[in-house]
Amino acid sequence: MIARTFFFVLFVATSYAFATPQKTAFNVKETTLRMTGGSMATPPPPELKPPPALYEGAVAAGAAKAAAPFSKIFKLGIVAGCHIAFGAYLAISIGGNCPGLAQSNPGLQKIVLGAFGLPFGLIMTLVSGAELFTGNTALVTAAWAEGKTSRKDLIKNWTASYIGNFVGSLLLAYLAFKSGTLGDAPGAVKIATAKCSAPWDVTFVRG
């Protein structure tokens, strides 16, 4: 019961799936009546999915991800790793190369760094249907908590997506290095140094 409540709150708070109602005869009739001053006894259907439907959709998505074979999850994990790494590449090459802005307006520089980073990687991951480990830990775990998948498939999905993400990120990092598009990469070096210098507990909490 506790696990179900936790995932219900999680998916309500991060509700990304919105209903996209199709144009039907009901919609056309309703619009026509409104334009002519008429009224209808039946209220129009809701445009957004209610929280329980959002959670059920997340559980169904998690069950489908868990049922996929290891090889497919791994390959799509590589794609997701490349997409997220490309988002980091954009953040470093654009937001990380604003030394003047960082000194004069560090808050704005952080906004630029964030605007050209993770959003692009996440959008490409969602559009392509790739397997991102962080998303799978929520979706597949919810499916497991509801009894829609087995613990074996849960571990399979986590393992395949994590390894795939790692391989994909290394692949993109290698391509960026070989292409020389980051130059001496002062932004990348600064970020990497700061991350590696942080204490273990600080890194754990941030993660």
Side-chain angles (χ1 to χ4, degrees):
M1 182 63 183
I2 296 177
R4 181 169 185 174
T5 302
F6 171 77
F7 289 110
F8 177 81
V9 173
L10 174 64
F11 290 110
V12 169
T14 58
S15 57
Y16 63 88
F18 292 94
T20 54
Q22 302 295 324
K23 283 292 184 180
T24 62
F26 180 84
N27 299 129
V28 175
K29 182 178 180 182
E30 176 192 1
T31 303
T32 303
L33 287 173
R34 287 184 176 179
M35 292 177 64
T36 57
S39 61
M40 298 186 66
T42 305
E47 296 183 355
L48 300 178
K49 293 181 180 179
L54 286 174
Y55 179 71
E56 291 175 2
V59 170
K65 286 178 175 290
F70 185 96
S71 59
K72 180 179 180 180
I73 300 172
F74 175 72
K75 293 174 183 177
L76 290 176
I78 294 178
V79 175
C82 288
H83 287 165
I84 298 299
F86 185 72
Y89 171 83
L90 288 177
I92 294 171
S93 60
I94 299 176
N97 284 329
C98 303
L101 184 61
Q103 293 180 0
S104 62
N105 194 335
L108 180 59
Q109 189 267 339
K110 291 293 185 181
I111 293 177
V112 174
L113 182 68
F116 286 95
L118 186 62
F120 283 88
L122 287 177
I123 290 173
M124 290 188 293
T125 299
L126 291 173
V127 170
S128 64
E131 296 283 350
L132 188 61
F133 173 77
T134 50
N136 288 352
T137 54
L139 297 175
V140 183
T141 305
W144 173 74
E146 294 296 332
K148 302 299 182 180
T149 188
S150 64
R151 182 176 300 180
K152 179 180 178 181
D153 284 341
L154 172 71
I155 297 175
K156 175 195 68 177
N157 181 274
W158 282 8
T159 303
S161 60
Y162 186 91
I163 297 175
N165 290 172
F166 183 70
V167 172
S169 63
L170 289 181
L171 177 61
L172 201 288
Y174 177 76
L175 293 175
F177 168 73
K178 293 298 292 184
S179 64
T181 51
L182 292 178
D184 295 333
V189 173
K190 182 179 180 180
I191 294 174
T193 302
K195 288 182 177 293
C196 294
S197 302
W200 186 91
D201 57 336
V202 174
T203 305
F204 177 80
V205 173
R206 290 178 178 177

